[in-house]
Amino acid sequence: MISEIQINFAKLSQAMGFQRSPSSKQKVKPISKENNDENGGDHSINERTTSNPPDSVTSDASYNSWMMEHPSALGSFDKMMKAAKEKKIAVFLNYDGTLSPIVDDPDRVFMSDEMRAAVREVAKYFPTAIISGRSREKVMGFVELCNVYYAGSHGMDILAPPRPVKACEGKYHTLVPGKKGNEVLFQPAKKFLPAIQEIIKELEEETKKIQGARIEDNRFCISVHFRQVREEDYSILQEKAKAVLRNYPDFDLSEGKKVMEIRPSIEWDKGHALEYLLDTLGLSNPNDVLPLYIGDDRTDEDAFKVIKGRGQGYPIIVSSTPKETKASYSLNDPSEVLTFLLRLSRWRKSSSSSKQLAQIWGIGY
């Protein structure tokens, strides 16, 4: 229940212009299937039964309360960078909903030229990786940058520099020639590929009569898109997906933003991919490395959890509505992600210039 203090705080914030513009923030709705799907299945907002105060004030108070726990990464930028001084920063980014807006057609989730330029600039100064639920090939095709690392299929398909192979990981590595010299493919779910293709065929057959349903082959996982499925057909689609998986006990079904995800039941997620990349890039020491991860999906929570466990780093959620999250900071939407990335590269450039001047003039830095 919203307290009188929170309500008064919301009114005061609105009057003084401290809130984000209502045009860029959705109002909080009571939990329903529709609202739950849009927020990646997170049950972070409890249904409110009070008729007073008005919904708009209640929503604003709830949002302001959430923002106090997950402050804007833009508003906190100077504080964050002050703590990052003398440390190495590594940047990790989700794709859909982070670098690009969520759209109805999953094949047309294009990032803007401005966003691509911003990611390219950030990657000049910091090791940068894209960790996506999409297949690695698809996300590489969307991003079109050669100075970043890619992890597709929720981290089950990683292309990275070679490194000394641990005994338990050797069978998952494949050495491949790349633009940067020899690179290594790490694919811990390779043995599931035949079963994944069988599941895709069965799903396509079972769902072909459900208007708007889309089955996407993401190499080591499968996405069942229902953004364009009618409300009354959703439960039918869900049951058909569950029925297919009853014959495949080695796979799990979960939900994200207007999508059902089918993945092999292995102990590997975006959090493990984050740790793998940090180790591969020689950045595993938590005392002098700050991983910065920006993502909007429930699957990104695994990476947020890893960063929290390290005790150093910045997990940043992209969301315009309050939701349960392990992130420490927030950004409203991809446009704020763009602003943050531009600011991050400018900060590094100015820091580098200051160091060079200090060396020229013999000033301690």
Side-chain angles (χ1 to χ4, degrees):
M1 184 173 291
I2 303 301
S3 70
E4 185 177 349
I5 293 175
Q6 286 175 306
I7 295 164
N8 291 334
F9 175 77
K11 290 178 178 178
L12 178 62
S13 297
Q14 191 169 21
M16 298 183 71
F18 292 154
Q19 286 178 272
R20 282 175 174 156
S21 168
S23 62
S24 65
K25 171 174 72 71
Q26 300 173 4
K27 298 298 183 182
V28 177
K29 305 172 187 175
I31 285 293
S32 63
K33 185 189 79 64
E34 178 69 17
N35 194 38
N36 185 37
D37 290 342
E38 285 294 335
N39 287 287
D42 289 331
H43 297 269
S44 55
I45 312 299
N46 294 323
E47 189 169 2
R48 296 167 178 84
T49 57
T50 57
S51 57
N52 190 27
D55 288 344
S56 61
V57 176
T58 302
S59 299
D60 289 339
S62 176
Y63 186 75
N64 283 324
S65 177
W66 185 80
M67 284 296 295
M68 291 176 73
E69 296 180 15
H70 312 285
S72 166
L74 290 174
S76 307
F77 185 86
D78 291 339
K79 174 186 173 184
M80 294 165 67
M81 293 306 107
K82 185 177 181 180
K85 196 173 181 181
E86 305 302 329
K87 293 184 183 291
K88 301 172 186 174
I89 294 177
V91 178
F92 300 88
L93 305 162
N94 187 13
Y95 183 75
D96 293 62
T98 300
L99 299 181
S100 68
I102 299 291
V103 298
D104 288 341
D105 186 347
D107 293 329
R108 300 190 62 80
V109 186
F110 302 126
M111 67 193 299
S112 67
D113 291 338
E114 293 80 7
M115 183 69 84
R116 183 173 293 104
V119 175
R120 182 189 293 114
E121 193 70 9
V122 164
K124 288 180 182 178
Y125 300 101
F126 311 100
T128 302
I130 313 291
I131 304 180
S132 172
R134 300 286 192 134
S135 72
R136 179 175 49 80
E137 292 85 355
K138 282 182 184 175
V139 77
M140 288 174 73
F142 282 136
V143 177
E144 297 179 327
L145 293 175
C146 61
N147 64 339
V148 303
Y149 302 102
Y150 294 92
S153 304
H154 298 288
M156 289 182 284
D157 189 5
I158 302 175
L159 185 63
R163 68 164 194 179
V165 178
K166 298 177 181 178
C168 61
E169 295 177 347
K171 60 183 178 180
Y172 304 134
H173 285 84
T174 304
L175 192 65
V176 295
K179 293 180 180 179
K180 307 169 188 175
N182 285 336
E183 295 178 297
V184 169
L185 274 177
F186 179 70
Q187 299 171 329
K190 194 184 297 187
K191 72 174 185 179
F192 294 97
L193 282 175
I196 289 171
Q197 292 306 308
E198 291 176 12
I199 293 171
I200 289 172
K201 288 179 182 177
E202 291 185 34
L203 284 171
E204 288 175 340
E205 179 64 28
E206 291 296 322
T207 63
K208 64 183 179 181
K209 294 183 179 179
I210 301 177
Q211 187 176 355
R214 295 278 300 274
I215 309 301
E216 183 180 9
D217 180 355
N218 281 317
R219 182 71 168 153
F220 294 99
C221 58
I222 305 163
S223 298
V224 182
H225 297 277
F226 56 88
R227 184 170 294 277
Q228 295 179 295
V229 171
R230 294 181 302 177
E231 182 84 13
E232 56 268 30
D233 291 338
Y234 166 75
S235 59
I236 299 172
L237 178 64
Q238 186 183 50
E239 183 49 45
K240 285 186 177 293
K242 288 180 178 179
V244 168
L245 284 189
R246 288 189 188 109
N247 298 320
Y248 298 92
D250 291 332
F251 288 80
D252 293 327
L253 177 69
S254 61
E255 281 198 21
K257 292 184 176 181
K258 292 293 187 178
V259 64
M260 285 179 275
E261 298 278 4
I262 297 170
R263 290 190 275 172
S265 303
I266 64 172
E267 194 173 335
W268 195 267
D269 52 39
K270 288 184 178 180
H272 292 96
L274 171 70
E275 291 178 313
Y276 177 91
L277 284 164
L278 286 172
D279 191 30
T280 298
L281 298 172
L283 301 170
S284 57
N285 185 350
N287 295 320
D288 66 355
V289 176
L290 286 176
L292 186 155
Y293 190 109
I294 307 177
D296 73 303
D297 195 68
R298 187 171 61 179
T299 57
D300 296 312
E301 293 294 328
D302 295 315
F304 295 162
K305 182 179 178 180
V306 166
I307 294 176
K308 285 278 195 177
R310 289 170 60 92
Q312 296 270 10
Y314 299 128
I316 303 172
I317 183 78
V318 182
S319 181
S320 60
T321 56
K323 62 196 299 185
E324 180 117 13
T325 180
K326 296 179 180 69
S328 301
Y329 298 94
S330 66
L331 291 167
N332 198 47
D333 53 30
S335 68
E336 287 200 359
V337 174
L338 173 60
T339 302
F340 182 88
L341 293 177
L342 290 171
R343 194 169 175 185
L344 182 62
S345 59
R346 284 199 301 267
W347 172 80
R348 174 54 78 198
K349 270 194 278 192
S350 64
S351 298
S352 300
S353 299
S354 298
K355 286 183 179 179
Q356 289 172 357
L357 284 173
Q359 291 170 352
I360 291 172
W361 292 99
I363 303 170
Y365 191 88

